[in-house]
Amino acid sequence: MAGNVWVVLQQREGKLHRGSREAIAAGQKLAAALGTGVEAVLLGSGLSDLAAEAAGFELAALHVADAPALADYTPGAYVGALAPAIRSAAPSFVVFPHTYQTVDYFARLAQETSSGLLPEILDFESGADGLVFRRPILGNKMHARVRTKGSGTVLVSVQSGAFSADDARPGSAPVSPLALSGTVAADRQILEIQAAGADQIDLTKSDVIVAVGRGVGGADKLGPIEELARALGAELAASRPVIDSGWLPRDRQIGSSGQTVAPKLYLALGISGAIQHVVGMKGSSTIVAVNKDPNAPVFGLAHYGVVADLHEFVPALTAAVKAAKA
Amino acid sequence: MKIGVCIKQVPDTEARLRVGKDGRWIAEDDLPFVINESDEYALEEGLRIAEATCGEVVAISLGPERVKEALRKALALGASRAIHLSDAAFEGGDALATGRALAAALAREGFDLVLTGSQSDDVGYGGTGSVIAGHLGWPHAWLVMGVEIEAGGTAKVVREMESGLNEVFRVQLPAVLEIQAGLNHPRYASLKGIMAAKKKPLDTLSAADLGLAPSEVGAAGSRLEVLSVDFPATGGGAQRIEGSPAVAAQLLVEKLQKEARVL
Ligand SMILES: Cc1cc2nc3c(=O)[nH]c(=O)nc-3n(C[C@H](O)[C@H](O)[C@H](O)COP(=O)(O)OP(=O)(O)OC[C@H]3O[C@@H](n4cnc5c(N)ncnc54)[C@H](O)[C@@H]3O)c2cc1C
Ligand SMILES: Nc1ncnc2c1ncn2[C@@H]1O[C@H](COP(=O)(O)O)[C@@H](O)[C@H]1O
């Protein structure tokens, strides 16, 4: 029989990361497909309140690793705490939220425990091919259907939003300490956390955002876009490659590493719709996508889609907006 | 410092993608390939550190014959040597299998620092660098947005966190740093660089050369098996606005005013 499914919860400063609930939902669904139970693990220091909250789900057990060495997240300490536990309990799957913290250490944990590694699943189904997982490839332009092979534990992360936190079934889990048998030691010396500067523009306050992607083609091509933004009374924003190339300043980046906005109107011009961008704007009331590729994933999320060369379409749109407002 | 930089060759993001004949991967025959985006930044960072420390960069890539082109580009940009992990047995590996092979090659070199990209633009496991670090027994960091080499064998590292926060910490060297796009501005190759690259060594290593069994690497050594690839349905979402730019723009503005009521 397959080992239980484990879920590693993420927390920071006494709060569960919202991806943790999504990971519990995924873990419960996976366990149901395998006919096994679900157990969760919480790591940190001074966790008693949070442990009480985390125990409020339908879990066979909540294991709490509460140690001063786990006060700050470091890969060394987290791998040191989890590796011996995974080796001895041999869960079938260990589910993580696909966060920057998880990705920082879970491949190392897989290597250390001779586990498989299945990053960023969107969904899975159980059928003739066994358990088949779906994950994005090529910047979300395509999906791969993947299954695991060989024996032993597999570490799997779930993409943000792929499973609904509301589906995590509540319950009352027995809480036990996670035995720390190996060396739990930091492998980096944390110096500081840098927050965004006060001089940064706050894009969350604007009702209309005109966002440009790599498809704009260069800083010298931004003139007509700025004119459209002025006509709409909009702020200018961008996807990451535009910022990385230095075409616009970093404080205009939308996405998982940038700002999260939900304006009334979001115009995505020459943006393909990669998940790291989408998480920062999917809450917008109305999304318009302009892209020359009819298969661009952004059209799956947009309310209105225009398949066009943005350099031809934008001046026409500016003229139409000006005419409508006149 | 002697710095190893792992570069992967991936399909150009602008390329028109098609499902391949066996349905298990994309058709590669007529695709343009480029150096993975974050790896370009890793290479640039490696070159800058090498220049500042009178060191050298060795570029390493695992893949079919075509990856020699990516390695030649790295040599043209300033790497002093290149290593091609070339073996049919290496193909189709997951992060664990590819990381194992790369680590075996890196371990022979005595590097002071290894740089990788943070994520490959095709399979996007985001894990190969960490797996390499595990095999080498070195510390690592993923999503690195700043590297400052310090006296005394440490580096000050800036790591991106979610929502625009950064974490700053110190690690002991040697380490594997998995570079995020955007931390520098990669240079362009000069004609002189391209000419010089032709004379620089490009070595080839097989699984046997690295003392690895074919069963440990590539598809055979992986825990993942890709059954098929497809295009996610995008049709359901957007209402398409058709017509010439002027007509479509007019129609869109009307819809935004009357239907969505956002103008
Ligand atoms: C850890 C991590 C964090 C990240 N964080 C972020 C983040 O915070 N924000 C973010 O945006 N990205 C982020 N990314 C990058 C993300 O994965 C994508 O690479 C990025 O969002 C793609 O940007 P893009 O859509 O502008 O470019 P591309 O994916 O290259 O798309 C360009 C689009 O423009 C279209 N196009 C080209 N020319 C024209 C034209 N003339 N007219 C109309 N359309 C045209 C193309 O068809 C294509 O769809 C992150 C990645 C990682 C790994
Ligand atoms: N075949 C390869 N050859 C060289 N480097 C690779 C290869 N595969 C992955 N890498 C490195 O590992 C990083 C992360 O890749 P991945 O784990 O596939 O997302 C890449 O940015 C590269 O630097």
Side-chain angles (χ1 to χ4, degrees):
Chain A
M1 186 172 139
N4 274 351
V5 171
W6 278 26
V7 180
V8 176
L9 307 176
Q10 184 171 324
Q11 59 85 23
R12 203 173 122 76
E13 289 168 351
K15 286 210 186 75
L16 271 191
H17 190 282
R18 77 190 140 68
S20 295
R21 282 186 192 79
E22 298 174 5
I24 292 174
Q28 288 174 338
K29 198 176 160 202
L30 201 50
L34 293 164
T36 64
V38 195
E39 301 171 38
V41 186
L42 183 64
L43 301 97
S45 178
L47 290 173
S48 46
D49 290 350
L50 198 58
E53 183 189 337
F57 292 95
E58 192 185 298
L59 301 165
L62 173 69
H63 307 283
V64 180
D66 197 330
L70 294 166
D72 284 323
Y73 158 77
T74 66
Y78 270 48
V79 172
L82 286 167
I86 289 173
R87 271 195 225 100
S88 72
S92 52
F93 288 92
V94 185
V95 182
F96 300 76
H98 191 80
T99 60
Y100 292 9
Q101 178 171 304
T102 293
V103 183
D104 189 41
Y105 78 96
F106 86 145
R108 180 107 193 211
L109 181 62
Q111 191 274 331
E112 184 88 25
T113 57
S114 307
S115 302
L117 183 72
L118 174 49
E120 208 180 359
I121 61 158
L122 298 164
D123 200 0
F124 64 87
E125 62 193 14
S126 169
D129 289 329
L131 272 181
V132 179
F133 301 84
R134 197 171 264 281
R135 61 183 302 278
I137 53 171
L138 294 151
N140 208 29
K141 289 192 181 88
M142 295 181 74
H143 287 171
R145 290 173 63 249
V146 180
R147 77 178 164 198
T148 64
K149 62 185 179 94
S151 58
T153 302
V154 175
L155 312 189
V156 49
S157 63
V158 296
Q159 190 182 81
S160 163
F163 292 81
S164 168
D166 295 340
D167 290 344
R169 284 191 305 280
S172 175
V175 180
S176 61
L178 185 82
L180 298 175
S181 55
T183 326
V184 180
D187 55 350
R188 41 176 87 146
Q189 178 198 350
I190 314 278
L191 301 173
E192 62 169 316
I193 307 285
Q194 295 173 336
D199 53 338
Q200 297 214 332
I201 173 152
D202 182 359
L203 296 171
T204 63
K205 296 214 161 63
S206 71
D207 281 342
V208 184
I209 291 179
V210 173
V212 288
R214 186 169 5 223
V216 73
D220 54 331
K221 308 231 170 62
L222 286 172
I225 316 270
E226 282 162 357
E227 205 183 322
L228 172 63
R230 269 195 302 275
L232 284 165
E235 281 293 349
L236 210 56
S239 69
R240 175 163 203 136
V242 170
I243 311 281
D244 287 348
S245 306
W247 302 343
L248 280 172
R250 180 73 58 194
D251 61 356
R252 303 221 170 231
Q253 181 173 319
I254 301 293
S256 54
S257 300
Q259 300 195 38
T260 300
V261 296
K264 283 195 194 123
L265 176 59
Y266 190 94
L267 262 89
L269 309 173
I271 292 176
S272 64
I275 175 69
Q276 295 90 352
H277 186 78
V278 166
V279 293
M281 48 68 85
K282 66 180 176 192
S284 308
S285 315
T286 298
I287 299 168
V288 176
V290 181
N291 199 301
K292 67 173 186 189
D293 175 6
N295 293 319
V298 69
F299 287 126
L301 157 99
H303 303 94
Y304 299 102
V306 184
V307 179
D309 182 333
L310 71 92
H311 300 299
E312 288 172 16
F313 183 73
V314 165
L317 183 59
T318 307
V321 169
K322 282 184 179 161
K325 289 203 168 175
Chain B
M1 288 178 88
K2 186 176 172 188
I3 303 162
V5 181
C6 296
I7 57 174
K8 184 177 184 183
Q9 203 189 33
V10 296
D12 189 342
T13 49
E14 283 280 286
R16 268 199 90 78
L17 303 169
R18 285 182 297 122
V19 177
K21 274 204 189 69
D22 65 0
R24 290 178 163 246
W25 191 238
I26 51 173
E28 292 200 343
D29 23 307
D30 51 0
L31 271 186
F33 281 87
V34 294
I35 295 179
N36 186 53
E37 190 175 14
S38 55
D39 302 4
E40 287 193 44
Y41 289 90
L43 179 61
E44 175 63 33
E45 198 61 20
L47 292 170
R48 288 185 191 195
I49 297 169
E51 282 156 10
T53 59
C54 299
E56 64 160 335
V57 165
V58 179
I60 302 185
S61 188
L62 177 154
E65 206 47 31
R66 61 171 158 74
V67 312
K68 286 209 163 73
E69 191 193 321
L71 289 171
R72 286 252 153 65
K73 183 168 180 209
L75 293 171
L77 288 167
S80 61
R81 209 149 59 75
I83 302 172
H84 178 197
L85 300 199
S86 167
D87 196 320
F90 288 143
E91 296 305 309
D94 62 8
L96 294 160
T98 300
R100 184 178 295 125
L102 287 167
L106 293 161
R108 298 153 46 112
E109 294 284 336
F111 288 121
D112 303 302
L113 175 68
V114 166
L115 303 179
T116 71
S118 50
Q119 190 156 321
S120 58
D121 294 329
D122 52 358
V123 291
Y125 294 130
T128 304
S130 308
V131 170
I132 291 169
H135 283 287
L136 298 176
W138 298 355
H140 77 274
W142 186 74
L143 225 49
V144 170
M145 276 299 266
V147 183
E148 193 186 309
I149 304 298
E150 300 176 310
T154 57
K156 200 163 144 187
V157 174
V158 181
R159 187 176 93 86
E160 203 168 275
M161 297 169 79
E162 270 124 359
S163 357
L165 301 180
N166 284 323
E167 185 184 44
V168 186
F169 52 83
R170 181 166 286 133
V171 288
Q172 194 65 43
L173 297 177
V176 177
L177 300 179
E178 303 162 73
I179 302 294
Q180 166 72 319
L183 93 165
N184 53 37
H185 291 288
R187 68 194 65 186
Y188 295 97
S190 64
L191 193 60
K192 200 168 139 233
I194 295 167
M195 296 312 287
K198 295 189 172 137
K199 298 196 197 74
K200 291 180 178 174
L202 197 169
D203 302 324
T204 298
L205 294 174
S206 67
D209 292 334
L210 295 172
L212 293 168
S215 59
E216 294 177 277
V217 295
S222 296
R223 293 291 307 278
L224 301 185
E225 182 188 9
V226 178
L227 297 175
S228 64
V229 297
D230 55 36
F231 288 93
T234 58
Q239 180 180 334
R240 302 290 171 125
I241 312 286
E242 319 265 354
S244 69
V247 170
Q250 182 64 42
L251 196 60
L252 177 64
V253 166
E254 276 169 28
K255 297 225 175 238
L256 293 177
Q257 281 182 314
K258 300 199 178 113
E259 224 173 72
R261 295 173 193 278
V262 288
L263 274 193

